[in-house]
Amino acid sequence: MPYDDKDKWDFATRAVRAGHNRSPEGEQGEPIFTTSSFVFDTAEQAAARFAGDDPGNIYSRFTNPTVRTFEERLATLEEGQRCVATGSGMAAIFSTCLATLKAGDHIVSSQSIFGTITVLFNNYLTRFGIETTFVPLADYDAWKNAIKGNTKMLFLETPSNPLLDVADISALAELAHANKSILVVDNTICTPVLQRPITLGADISINSTTKYIDGQGRSIGGAVIGSEALVGNEVFGVVRTCGPAMSPFNAWIALKGLETLSLRLQAHSASAKILASWLEQHELVKKVYYTGLASHPQHELADRQQHGLHGGLLSFELTGDSSQAKERAWQFCDATELVSITANLGDTKTILTHPATTTHGRVDPEVRAAAGISDGLLRIAVGLEAVKDIQADLERGFNAISK
Ligand SMILES: Cc1ncc(COP(=O)(O)O)c(C=O)c1O
């Protein structure tokens, strides 16, 4: 594969060039192959393709050159042997479960994962006899105690969203392997720019490409990265058979997103650090959650695990009486003029979210409060606008609640 050798080419170079096998047309930009099927020279070649004796393309549910370029580029950035792209981040997670678990198996999962994954584990995998125990992300002993004889997968996202707790991936990979389980890390919030779970011992790294990899909020997609055996055979087998494939157009968007991912995450991280430091000093803020702050209890672990970068996601809790916390948070949101009130993340446009009434609105209020997601908590996915304009916009929110 061109430009995939990490000993020869730096991360930034691989992000721009890896995976593109130039066609006979000699194109500079990567083409989008909008075709459902591929034509064979002869009937004999068709038979050889279907038998797996000839490695070429057959049908875009299995392989497509644009999708493959994206997969090969992301595989080298995550430092995994293989990547399989999917139609969404949820499809990546579901395909991983289908590929690695069977009836009677048990998952130990962080309780601080994207809410829809909790629904997948609790409402759907249970129908097929797969049970899940949820544990606090940063509590190593809780992980250890939750493991049973039939535990086959440890699943987590670090740092967590929206409270930015951090887990030690290497320690949990060791724990998983000592118990004949695999460790699966949802790397969506960090991307391989900040964190490469496979180099830390994880078996599988998953990205929702919908977030930072696309980077401009234009498409939905996902990717599973890991070994030839687990991902190249098992996950690929599920995607080929069950059909949650990524479209060539979305693969092209994600592929072009990888080219600027490192620069964007450096800029997202720099602006988030400025805003987190400012918010920490603000008289109307009770607490700021951002791993880049020295005051974060796991700052050093995050710094080591994330190559010194802390990403664009931060949360903060407003001061004030808890009985009026929701009204104050909503007043804050409604007074802004620039930031978008929506629930996505990883966009160039800054996003402001009130987790208690949106992303975590369906969670039981007591469970939500116990998890630290109070009514006064706001989350910002810091975009790439001028940081002074974002700050001035947040000040509009503070002005509204100080009246
Ligand atoms: C951390 C994380 N993982 C997975 C997903 C699911 O990705 P998608 O929306 O692409 O299915 C999301 C979506 O918000 C997410 O934030």
Side-chain angles (χ1 to χ4, degrees), residues 82-156:
R82 276 291 296 272
C83 167
V84 170
T86 54
S88 69
M90 286 312 302
I93 293 161
F94 180 59
S95 301
T96 299
C97 292
L98 211 58
T100 60
L101 300 170
K102 61 178 188 330
D105 286 349
H106 174 245
I107 303 171
V108 182
S109 170
S110 160
Q111 66 193 20
S112 311
I113 52 174
F114 174 56
T116 308
I117 309 171
T118 310
V119 177
L120 169 68
F121 289 172
N122 280 340
N123 297 11
Y124 293 96
L125 293 191
T126 44
R127 291 189 193 172
F128 301 94
I130 298 164
E131 301 290 335
T132 304
T133 303
F134 293 93
V135 296
L137 175 68
D139 184 346
Y140 178 83
D141 289 339
W143 285 94
K144 200 170 165 184
N145 294 335
I147 291 175
K148 305 195 278 191
N150 60 343
T151 303
K152 290 288 154 50
M153 178 191 287
L154 271 54
F155 185 94
L156 62 91

Side-chain angles (χ1 to χ4, degrees), residues 88-90 93 114 157 186 188 208 210-211 220-221:
S88 69
M90 286 312 302
I93 293 161
F114 174 56
E157 172 189 337
D186 181 341
T188 299
S208 161
T210 314
K211 315 297 176 190
I220 300 281

